[in-house]
Amino acid sequence: MRISDIFRTFASVKLNKIIIFTLYTLVIACIGFATVIEKYRGTDFVGEHIYGAWWFTALWAILTVASLAYIMQQRLYKRMAVMLLHLSFVVILAGALTTHIFAQRGHIRLRKGITETTFVDKDSKVVHLPFALTLKEFRIVNYPGTDAPLDYQSVFQHEDDEILVSMNNIGNIDGYRFFQQSYDTDGEGVTLGVSYDPYGIVITYLGYLLLLLGIIATLLSRHTQMRQLYRKTIAVALLLVSFSISGHAESKLPVVDADIAHRMSTIQVLYNDRICPLNTVATDFTMKLTGSTSYKDYSADQVFLSWMIYYMPWEEELLTNNPKKKGADERKAIVEMFYHGQFTKIFPYRIGEAVTWYSPGAQVLPREIPVKEQFFIKQSMDFLTEAIVTGQKDRAIEIIEKIKLFQHDMVGDVLPSENQTQAELFYNKLRSIRFPVLITLQLGLRWWLSGHIPLSNGYETMLFMAWILLVLTVVLFRKIRIIFILGPLAALCCLLVAMMTGGGSEITPLMPVLQSPLLSLHVMTVMCAYALFALQMMIGIYFFCTAKQERITALSQLLLYPAVFLLAIGIFLGAVWANVSWGNYWSWDPKESWALITFLVYAVPFHRASVGLFNHPRFYHLYMIVAFLTVLVTYFGVNYLLGGMHSYA
């Protein structure tokens, strides 16, 4: 090939990239502009002058042709996963164009006993049906024991068949689809939506299928950026695991039997001027020393009791071997308090009206305490230690029971009840499981009480998003430490938003149109995507505050793939739900439009080879921070400023 040919080829590719970038930006700007205009001029205006205008269709068409040309220029057809992804969008757009040109939409009014053979289309023209319809019955089905509507059901006659149309259940006759719109106040008539689109829906659904296959192929392909990032992450994870395993193998810490430690943890102790189970002390002690409610595979009870008995190796493990660990001075002070018996006041004695609690081995005791009780206070823990060290488990359990009996004999009237003790043990378990369980319990209770998945309004979706962020934190924080900070921080923001928009905190019946499993899947996938976008935004902020920039960038790029893919799946699940519910898979509602804008904006960083700026970490993270504004507009801006059919959540 001559140099001139190479130059011409390069120039054409470069020019095509500029055309694609310009058109792509124009499409995003037009959609965003249209949602604002709709607020002031109405849905019909933007439908006619923007979404339905010839120039908007031409804009998409030119962008598609330019993209296909670029695919051929870059020979992406040799990379099947990438090719499937891009081809799916071409097919989806082809389906949308087919629907735009050939689909018929309108409405038909039916009254009981009156046969109709025509409907009125969106241009107010009368269209003849190739069959006749007669309404037989209309009924409103309420929630059991209430007058809240659960479903609207129309039964009409077609030849010898009865067709049922209800919410999320479309009637279909020869390609004509009928869905519930409204009903007459006397209950004797209904208005049904009519949609005839036998070709566009099939093509669009084929595009959705290709998109799903492309996503799966991308996740499994060996030749995508994600696989490279995944390998880097796995390498780091394996390194961390190997360190963890080797460290655990080399550790020869003497540890008390878990059953004995648990039994000991139910003994009462005077701690922070209140009587509580020793488990509470152990939990606080372990958290202050290790930052967690456990250490390696050992519970807080095992750590605490083991330190009491084998204090030298445990002190070396957690203090001497980690002298530079953050909060070292505080940790040493905690251990000093432990050695001085401030955490082990488990022996109460009442003299008159006063009750004093003593630590094991206390040498200076009042003369009023009989010799037998003094001996038990001073020696019982020594006997327990001997039993544990020599492996006499039954003997150790017997001594623990004697300590409990001593407490009941001395001050049984002021000790917490068994129910109170178990409640505090359960509370401490919640602390060990950390915050996700609290939101899990709330979501679970709402699901149980309401009878539907709690994803029906802004309050519930914010709770779900916080839960997703915390689950990600629990799953990833051992491998990616920064998640331990960023995940809960993002979740806290979600909870604050849920509290500020607490109008949806009441449990109410679902609107009939929302009673679809497709809706739950749609919302879950979209909210998972938004949670990942929120993490990427916070990672971007953290990037400018840390020196470990390379690892942070790899993490963000790895999260980008599942985030965008989940949003894509969520969008087409929402389209399928809309098609099933009201016969139209895409209506350019502001929420739909901004979800599409969000997808288009976050899809850009995938093209690092074409947009070289994304190879620079500072630009990449700045882009991810700014891109999150589209998520905020999609979720909050539409709900509180733009309105639309989706403004309920």
Side-chain angles (χ1 to χ4, degrees), residues 176-188:
Y176 287 86
R177 306 165 73 235
F178 300 89
F179 47 95
Q180 197 73 46
Q181 275 194 347
S182 62
Y183 60 93
D184 297 346
T185 55
D186 61 2
E188 297 295 310

Side-chain angles (χ1 to χ4, degrees), residues 121-177:
D121 69 8
K122 59 184 178 181
D123 297 321
S124 299
K125 296 180 180 179
V126 176
V127 180
H128 287 272
L129 291 168
F131 47 80
L133 294 178
T134 305
L135 179 66
K136 290 191 61 177
E137 182 184 5
F138 171 76
R139 53 181 178 259
I140 300 175
V141 180
N142 294 328
Y143 281 92
T146 74
D147 58 0
L150 171 66
D151 198 3
Y152 304 106
Q153 298 179 350
S154 300
V155 180
F156 56 86
Q157 189 77 32
H158 168 247
E159 296 179 351
D160 296 329
D161 298 326
E162 287 188 355
I163 307 295
L164 173 67
V165 175
S166 61
M167 306 309 296
N168 299 308
N169 182 41
I170 287 179
N172 194 327
I173 303 174
D174 299 335
Y176 287 86
R177 306 165 73 235

Side-chain angles (χ1 to χ4, degrees), residues 244-299:
S244 175
I245 293 174
S246 62
H248 188 75
E250 293 173 0
S251 175
K252 297 181 180 179
L253 283 172
V255 182
V256 174
D257 176 79
D259 181 50
I260 294 176
H262 173 69
R263 291 172 182 269
M264 187 70 182
S265 72
T266 60
I267 289 177
Q268 304 298 324
V269 60
L270 183 68
Y271 176 62
N272 288 339
D273 296 323
R274 61 182 288 264
I275 302 172
C276 63
L278 189 62
N279 172 259
T280 299
V281 184
T283 301
D284 288 351
F285 178 80
T286 306
M287 287 187 68
K288 290 175 181 177
L289 289 181
T290 68
S292 176
T293 55
S294 61
Y295 181 69
K296 296 184 177 178
D297 294 328
Y298 311 131
S299 67

Side-chain angles (χ1 to χ4, degrees), residues 1-11:
M1 182 180 289
R2 293 178 298 178
I3 295 178
S4 59
D5 293 333
I6 296 175
F7 179 80
R8 280 196 297 269
T9 302
F10 174 78

Side-chain angles (χ1 to χ4, degrees), residues 24 533-534 536-537 560 563-564 567 597-606 623-631:
Y24 197 87
F533 289 146
Q536 286 183 286
M537 181 272 295
L560 181 63
V564 174
L567 181 57
I597 290 174
T598 302
F599 174 80
L600 293 174
V601 168
Y602 275 98
V604 175
F606 279 160
Y623 184 91
M624 300 308 291
I625 294 171
V626 176
F628 192 68
L629 292 175
T630 63
V631 177

